[in-house]
């Protein structure tokens, strides 16, 4: 069964993930060979700084010329773990042109240019796999694309960014404010020096675009994903959440509309009930809920980042792509046949939790309630609290379109009796 | 891209699962065709009672002659949802001989004869897929076999039987005894009239054999799996568990030994800490923890049984097998190259929680402690309780081999001062 000519792998990038990929390829070489049906050989490693010592990687494999490496012509699989748009995009395209299949962990690139890259892969009859791009080690792309291929997915709801989950979990458990929790995340290495991509939701939005595309067999671009970061979540929001039996998570939510004709994808902080399984996802872990017609509710949980977990996902793809190559076949490519409409955030049906600072005089509640009614938004609960002559109103709505809810808030801001809107947060996960 | 000649599917069995498979094949026909790249057609349905009205299935497709159906020669995929050993085994083998690939949900058959069936599939160059055989809709076989193909799995720990989880959950939440909880499960349709396969752990043991085989790339037969049912778990056990901050679950545990050279597979009730994610798996849900070198801890959660969830898994396999057929390829077959030793239960390293009824006189604890020491079992905690002249001792051990622990209990039974061993339960999930 075993053929002896090895499959050749070019590794682009040798940072936290790449070095783990190289390490496992060496230490698990026999297992990989047995599982693939042929040995795999690290044929070259493209890096930016060749002087850095890389344990276990022979110096003669290291090059700074990634383009020459992917153009060699004898490479079977290119593993791209550089990240970012360029030069990754050009290198991947060049790899297809020169006969290689590609395994990538690049969520930003896939979210932005997935369709073009899939088209290039198909044109050249090659594979493009990217399990590691979403939620690290957690198998998600393959289950959505293959295990649920006979089902109809209606919703994907998940915590797909470990940094922000660490921060929110810390705020929840200690009562800390955002900055304090961020500082701790940075000190412990969970947040990068510039945390923008995580805390502003860009990273989660890229993953949401990829997940929505696969789940709904529809092209969903990064620009289609509504995105709201979590930098404005306060300790007071967590206190309000607790009063409701909730916690706050940064969620990526991809939903099919009730009539089935359109989909939405969004990333924002939201209150979810403590009884919801996602509420108990601690620290930097990720977890994704998938709801489908036949399977019902499934959850996938695990480490969403880190060198070894991400390498595990990369190597799973590498084995699959190598097997396909030996079979002379390719795995499932892009599936966008459904081509559903991707609707804007205003069409999303959700609930709001709104805290208002209001004048402490009779008739305020009636005024506020009238505004909700005028926008067709039904109120679930109202809580009034007096504090030093001022008063606060906490309103939780029933489900309504995000556009109606936004319109309601705008109108509330214009009321003389409303001194300010202290916070607005969506409520999810019922 | 789309070819017009349909792939032909023969459905063996049209009960709870089969009727859902047929329904979804009809209602989702366009989606399935788009995802496969060719239409799929239900070519025949083999049943035992042809007179039963089957909504949505044309009468001319229904036959009682399953053998003739799989021998037709024009069938691309046989979907076997009959269950049991025969006639399922012969029908599957016949299907391979007559050119069809097979999708099965038959855990008992796969656990008993998986190796022979895989060999038959390989001999004829056909696929044998069976995601639905373990944990219903939860993608487990594919993640273990494909997503983690580049990783090294060290442990699979899971709740893989919904009936027993429903009963144990009920006992935990209401304080009910086993019989009372079983009666409720039966009344609600969660337990069958003869619940033996579930409550004695046969069903879970079959799943453990399948999971261990795939996780460790080693043949693990049903006979290799240690099996202990949960009919002797009492309300008192749950009270003891609560005192330890634990609950009780029927667990399937597949482990690689520390030196990596051998594996074990077992099914038994065990105490697990309430903080363990498996502790909060409610009702008839299933959940499986997978621990591997690189990925770390992953959890998969969802409905473990039921017509529609199981059909979801069957159809995911059907799509994969159809795609393989169009590609002229087959998916991954049996992977048993590691051929690790499957060790007996005595070699398992675990902890015991033991309740002893003892004479209420000085020196008893010293005697008991000596027995543990003589068997090389280290004691973690001891709790003494007096009750009406009698006394009880609750001992929780550190980790030791199951053989040492069994030996300890045997020796304890022989002590004059030990009136009886009230309960023994393993403690897992640290």
């Amino acid at each position: 069964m075993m053929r002896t000519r090895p499959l050749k792998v070019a590794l682009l990038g040798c940072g936290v993930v790449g070095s783990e990929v190289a390490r496992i390829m060496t230490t698990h070489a026999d297992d990989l060979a047995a599982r693939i049906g042929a040995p795999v050989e690290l044929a070259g490693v493209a890096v930016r700084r060749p002087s850095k010592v890389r344990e276990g990687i022979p110096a003669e494999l290291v090059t700074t010329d990634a383009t020459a490496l992917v153009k060699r012509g004898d490479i079977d699989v290119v593993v791209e773990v550089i990240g970012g748009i360029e030069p990754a995009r050009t290198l991947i395209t060049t790899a297809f042109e020169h006969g290689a299949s590609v395994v990538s962990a690049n969520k930003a690139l896939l979210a932005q240019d997935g369709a073009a890259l899939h088209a290039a892969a198909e044109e050249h009859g090659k594979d493009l796999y990217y399990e590691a791009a979403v939620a690290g080690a957690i198998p998600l792309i393959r289950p959505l694309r293959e295990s649920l291929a006979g089902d109809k997915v209606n919703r994907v709801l998940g915590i797909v960014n470990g940094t922000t989950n660490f921060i929110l979990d810390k705020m929840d458990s200690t009562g800390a404010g955002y900055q304090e929790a961020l500082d701790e995340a940075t000190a412990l290495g969970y947040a990068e020096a510039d945390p923008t991509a995580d805390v502003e939701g860009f990273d989660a939005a890229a993953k949401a675009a990829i997940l929505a595309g696969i789940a709904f067999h529809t092209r969903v671009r990064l620009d289609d994903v509504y995105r709201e970061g979590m930098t404005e979540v306060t300790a007071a929001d967590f206190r309000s959440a607790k009063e409701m039996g909730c916690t706050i998570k940064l969620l990526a939510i991809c939903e099919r509309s009730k009539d089935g004709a359109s989909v939405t994808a969004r990333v924002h902080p939201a209150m979810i009930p403590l009884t919801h399984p996602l509420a108990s996802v601690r620290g930097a872990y990720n977890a994704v809920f998938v709801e489908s017609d036949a399977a019902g509710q499934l959850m996938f949980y695990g480490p969403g980042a880190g060198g070894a977990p991400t390498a595990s996902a990369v190597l799973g793809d590498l084995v699959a792509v190598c097997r396909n190559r030996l079979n002379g076949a390719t795995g499932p490519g892009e599936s966008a046949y459904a081509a559903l409409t991707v609707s804007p955030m205003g069409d999303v049906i959700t609930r709001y939790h709104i805290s208002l600072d209001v004048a402490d005089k009779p008739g305020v509640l009636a005024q506020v309630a009238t505004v909700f009614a005028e926008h067709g938004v039904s109120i679930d609960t109202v809580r009034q609290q007096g504090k030093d002559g001022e008063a606060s109103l906490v309103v939780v709505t029933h489900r309504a379109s995000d556009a109606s809810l936004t319109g309601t808030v705008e109108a509330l801001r214009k009321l003389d009796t409303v001194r300010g809107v202290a916070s607005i947060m969506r409520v999810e996960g019922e």
Side-chain angles (χ1 to χ4, degrees), chain A:
Chain A
M1 285 295 294
M2 180 82 74
R3 71 166 205 179
T4 46
R5 189 176 75 73
L7 290 151
K8 292 189 179 177
V9 175
L11 181 60
L12 310 184
C14 199
V16 177
V17 176
S19 57
E20 276 296 312
V21 170
R23 186 186 65 76
I24 298 173
M25 280 185 66
T26 308
T27 56
H28 289 39
D30 292 348
D31 283 313
L32 292 170
R35 294 172 194 184
I36 290 167
V40 276
E41 174 189 298
L42 195 57
V45 182
V47 300
R48 267 186 306 183
R49 284 166 301 174
S51 56
K52 204 175 143 192
V53 175
R54 288 177 176 85
E55 213 180 323
I57 299 178
E60 67 270 22
L61 294 185
V62 176
T63 173
T64 53
D65 193 346
T67 305
L69 180 58
V70 301
K71 280 186 172 172
R72 262 174 51 173
D74 66 337
I75 301 298
D76 291 284
V77 186
V78 168
V79 173
E80 185 271 306
V81 287
I82 308 174
I85 304 301
E86 285 294 356
R89 178 171 53 194
T90 302
L91 289 168
I92 290 175
T93 314
T94 308
F96 292 139
E97 288 163 2
H98 290 78
S101 284
V102 173
V103 174
S104 170
N106 193 329
K107 57 206 156 235
L109 178 57
L110 266 303
Q112 184 184 299
D113 293 317
L117 293 173
H118 271 297
E122 193 168 331
E123 184 193 336
H124 295 282
K126 298 292 171 282
D127 271 328
L128 171 62
Y129 275 50
Y130 46 89
E131 180 68 76
V134 181
I138 311 173
L140 262 181
I141 307 278
R142 186 174 275 102
L144 279 173
R145 195 184 244 180
E146 302 183 40
S147 305
L148 291 167
D151 206 334
K152 185 178 172 191
V153 175
N154 293 312
R155 182 188 290 183
V156 178
L157 174 78
I159 295 167
V160 295
N161 181 275
T163 304
T164 49
N165 199 59
F166 179 91
I167 295 170
L168 291 169
D169 185 21
K170 190 54 67 175
M171 292 174 73
D172 184 48
S173 59
T174 66
Y178 165 70
Q179 190 59 48
E180 192 186 332
L182 171 62
D183 291 345
E184 184 171 346
T186 310
L188 292 171
Y190 287 114
E192 293 181 45
D194 176 0
T196 311
D198 293 317
V199 300
E200 295 294 354
F202 290 101
D203 174 85
K207 293 165 179 169
I210 295 171
L211 289 175
I214 294 171
F216 303 132
H217 300 269
T218 289
R219 275 185 195 151
V220 178
R221 301 187 56 241
L222 189 52
D223 295 345
D224 295 327
V225 181
Y226 173 82
R227 179 192 53 76
E228 206 176 286
M230 46 69 74
T231 58
E232 287 171 28
V233 176
T234 64
D237 290 330
F238 272 99
R239 288 194 295 274
S240 293
K242 270 182 194 165
E243 282 168 15
M244 284 181 66
C246 287
T247 186
I248 298 168
K249 295 290 187 188
L250 184 72
L251 298 179
I253 307 174
C254 313
E255 283 177 320
R256 189 190 293 275
S257 64
K258 223 168 177 178
D259 67 6
S262 64
V263 297
T264 52
R266 53 191 165 119
V267 168
H268 55 72
M271 294 187 182
I272 56 168
L274 291 173
T275 51
H276 194 283
L278 290 180
S280 54
V281 176
R282 294 271 94 88
Y285 272 79
N286 282 193
V288 176
F289 241 76
V290 177
E291 293 178 20
S292 67
D293 265 5
Q297 292 193 322
L298 302 171
M299 189 169 83
F300 303 81
Y301 169 94
T310 308
S312 171
V314 165
L315 284 157
D317 279 355
L318 179 65
V319 170
V321 169
C322 287
R323 278 175 175 162
N324 289 344
R325 231 171 144 88
L326 292 179
N327 274 331
T330 53
E334 187 188 30
S335 176
Y337 73 89
L340 301 172
T341 303
V342 185
S343 299
M345 187 62 193
D347 288 3
V348 163
I349 306 296
T350 183
R351 298 171 65 201
Y352 269 28
H353 175 282
I354 307 165
S355 295
L356 303 170
D357 294 325
V358 297
D360 192 7
K361 58 184 185 184
V364 173
L365 178 54
Q367 271 192 323
V368 165
T370 304
V371 169
F372 279 89
E374 282 169 357
H375 289 81
V377 176
S378 169
I379 292 174
D380 181 10
T381 61
V382 181
R383 204 168 63 242
Q384 297 204 59
Q385 287 175 324
K387 49 171 190 185
D388 308 330
E390 292 275 294
S392 74
L393 270 185
V394 175
V395 181
V396 181
T397 73
H398 282 296
R399 286 161 59 80
S401 76
D402 205 77
S404 311
L405 289 161
T406 307
T408 306
V409 172
E410 275 169 23
L412 288 172
R413 285 187 204 276
K414 289 180 190 150
L415 288 182
D416 287 345
T417 48
V418 172
R419 303 269 159 84
V421 179
S423 86
I424 308 163
M425 198 166 297
R426 294 179 186 87
V427 182
E428 302 286 341
E430 282 161 297

